[in-house]
Amino acid sequence: MTNVVQSKSTDRKVEILDAALTLFVKKGFHRTSIQDIADAAGITKGGLYHYLKSKEEILFSLHERFISEGFEKLKLIEEESLLPEEKLVKLLEAHLEIIHDYKDAITIFYKEYNNLSPENYKIVLKKRDDYEDIFVNALEEGRINGVFNIENSRITSFFILGASNFMYHWYNPNGEKPLDELARIYLNMIKHGILNE
Amino acid sequence: MTNVVQSKSTDRKVEILDAALTLFVKKGFHRTSIQDIADAAGITKGGLYHYLKSKEEILFSLHERFISEGFEKLKLIEEESLLPEEKLVKLLEAHLEIIHDYKDAITIFYKEYNNLSPENYKIVLKKRDDYEDIFVNALEEGRINGVFNIENSRITSFFILGASNFMYHWYNPNGEKPLDELARIYLNMIKHGILNE
Amino acid sequence: MTNVVQSKSTDRKVEILDAALTLFVKKGFHRTSIQDIADAAGITKGGLYHYLKSKEEILFSLHERFISEGFEKLKLIEEESLLPEEKLVKLLEAHLEIIHDYKDAITIFYKEYNNLSPENYKIVLKKRDDYEDIFVNALEEGRINGVFNIENSRITSFFILGASNFMYHWYNPNGEKPLDELARIYLNMIKHGILNE
Amino acid sequence: MTNVVQSKSTDRKVEILDAALTLFVKKGFHRTSIQDIADAAGITKGGLYHYLKSKEEILFSLHERFISEGFEKLKLIEEESLLPEEKLVKLLEAHLEIIHDYKDAITIFYKEYNNLSPENYKIVLKKRDDYEDIFVNALEEGRINGVFNIENSRITSFFILGASNFMYHWYNPNGEKPLDELARIYLNMIKHGILNE
DNA sequence: CATGAATGAGAATTCATTCAT
DNA sequence: TATGAATGAATTCTCATTCAT
């Protein structure tokens, strides 16, 4: 899946990014200094610049890392030949798993993306749109088939993603509800709503 | 509804806060300098400090303004004697209205609240919890009555609020869908889900 | 001794000066703001400027108040016709009394006089010199008479004043030793030294 | 005596401290800006912060430098086995020498120590007390032996140190009286007083 | 007399980034 | 690769003083 052999440099870079992510989550992008990151990564400020050429690049790399991996995951599901309902379920399960795995990265994504350079901002937003489009397309397919009783696939997509994304504000991986249990509850509400009929 | 007569200072402070809000939304809290705010408000840097004693107080005031007004609105509905379903509908309509009216404030609330001082952070989080509790209580009432087919009122509340709050990421007040139309669509999904049964 | 009838303004000014003195002792001249002084005196910042035209004038007035009164006291003793030893004793007793009464003013005098404007600096230093000269003259008279076994009246004067002035660093008016007891001890050391002979 | 080999950084730091000391004596702590110090030391403001992390640390370092060296000097004398009178004489000669060598540092010590942070304030005051205790102990030893005709060693210590310390207000190293001459005069007054008997 | 608003200059400090070694 | 020194621009905040009302 991932490269087993990585150069020392790559390791070092990953360490720096991990350290940065932790700090960004705790203190925010601007309140975290390059010095802080260097300290946390066990490197000097000057040394850090051998791996990453600016603070913005750190932020961008963090975005990239999470959004690319997430997109790849969904893409694989999209390409499977599944019924709309099954596809939506699998997409959503994957999405919740991504939220679980990349809680920190998602947190800073929603808070700090406007600190990206205009060029990187565009790249990231494009990927986010592609990500969302996978949901929109799955919903649209089901809407046309008559499986989903929805008016507008995009609005529905935002509805579902919104409900899911909000989880990063409150979801505690060590809390009482395991993720698959939550996924079941969420799916149920999405499919049938909350009203007893 | 609002005071018609306000002292000059109150006006000035409101001007400063409005200017700050606009800038915070556009550039984020840290990338907006006091100088930027003062310029936008047509006042000198020193003058600004006559009305607000720190940059953090500006952020806090913006939070306060929106979260207190929002809470009052919901509180009034909570105190009406309504059936659970009716109450939830009214609460949600009010909530979407608040999102509509305070889109900018909510944007910076979710992005920048961790720039508040510890004391103000506590105050704001307390109010946010009170706000959410109104939804949780309404859902719990319906759950006990058997009107709502839900397992857990808090998770359901987060589900609904999450879906709604995410609107501030994409909702355009001048877009094709008017707010009441969106409210109808959202309510429908919350009540009945998306599956054709 | 002092005016029994004073205008309201004069009272107000005295209040301001007293408030300022207390604050200067506690926090130093620069760390005390005009706002602090105004607050302590129960007046507004703008109001304060009706009584004193600058922060420096406050400092100068405090110096004046203490150094003029002190000088007058010594002057009266100087003009009495006394034997050198008696005169020195009376001068020193008066000096210690002044230190007792104006501990705070003396503290800020030695710490903050270099914050005076050049003109006021000159005035204050002139008065300090006049004050010291009274001691030098008394010593010189005794030296010529052969009452005092000293080489240089100025150095001796500094020796005596130094020993006395240092008291403001440690003298506690509510401590175990009353002032007259201290005066006796000091005079004894000045007259006979510390060696058993 | 002192390290012959010092790192470049140590040199730079010493340069900054020396520049600061000169300026503090001339203009006082608060009227000297970091910019002033940086300019005088031939470094940029930002560069200065590479060596010292705050203005307060500059002040503290200046205090430390002088008070630690002074204390070491006295400590060595205290540990010699000398008769009380001889010990007092040597202590006082050393003390006057310290005043001669560190006139500037002592000046700002007495004027500006209340600008230290509470923690550093404590440290400095502790050292000052230790310094004074050396004199108190020497006097107490002589008082018990009957060599000194004094009532209270602490008051006597303050008397002597006060007389000596005051020298920094008027002593001019290039004046007519060399230091050892002054030491002789002072010692004479301390030992025998000023009265012809 | 008194006030509150406003000013403008200056202060300490932070920090991303560069670069000689 | 790695470092520590250095830079320079930006930033928040303070404050003595003025002045219209």
Side-chain angles (χ1 to χ4, degrees), chain A residues 9 44 46-47 50-51:
Chain A
S9 316
T44 57
H50 282 284
Y51 298 100

Side-chain angles (χ1 to χ4, degrees), chain C residues 102-126:
Chain C
Y102 295 96
K103 191 176 180 296
D104 287 349
I106 295 170
T107 300
I108 67 128
F109 169 73
Y110 279 113
K111 283 192 177 171
E112 313 285 7
Y113 65 86
N114 62 340
N115 291 307
L116 294 169
S117 69
E119 308 83 52
N120 286 336
Y121 183 82
K122 266 185 206 159
I123 295 171
V124 165
L125 250 53
K126 173 72 171 63

Side-chain angles (χ1 to χ4, degrees), chain C residues 1-6 69:
Chain C
M1 249 6 174
T2 49
N3 290 0
V4 174
V5 179
Q6 287 189 321
E69 273 196 52

Side-chain angles (χ1 to χ4, degrees), chain B residues 9 12 44 46-47 50-51:
Chain B
S9 3
R12 216 70 162 103
T44 56
H50 195 69
Y51 297 98

Side-chain angles (χ1 to χ4, degrees), chain B residues 44-80:
Chain B
T44 56
K45 237 185 331 181
L48 187 149
Y49 278 92
H50 195 69
Y51 297 98
L52 292 145
K53 68 179 200 298
S54 71
K55 196 181 177 187
E56 191 262 345
E57 194 184 294
I58 298 179
L59 188 62
F60 177 64
S61 299
L62 290 172
H63 280 154
E64 266 297 289
R65 225 163 55 153
F66 122 73
I67 214 163
S68 295
E69 274 196 53
F71 179 72
E72 293 311 317
K73 269 194 177 169
L74 293 200
K75 197 76 194 162
L76 288 176
I77 295 167
E78 188 185 38
E79 284 159 1
E80 293 179 42

Side-chain angles (χ1 to χ4, degrees), chain C residues 9 44-47 50-51:
Chain C
S9 316
T44 57
K45 234 187 332 184
H50 283 283
Y51 298 100

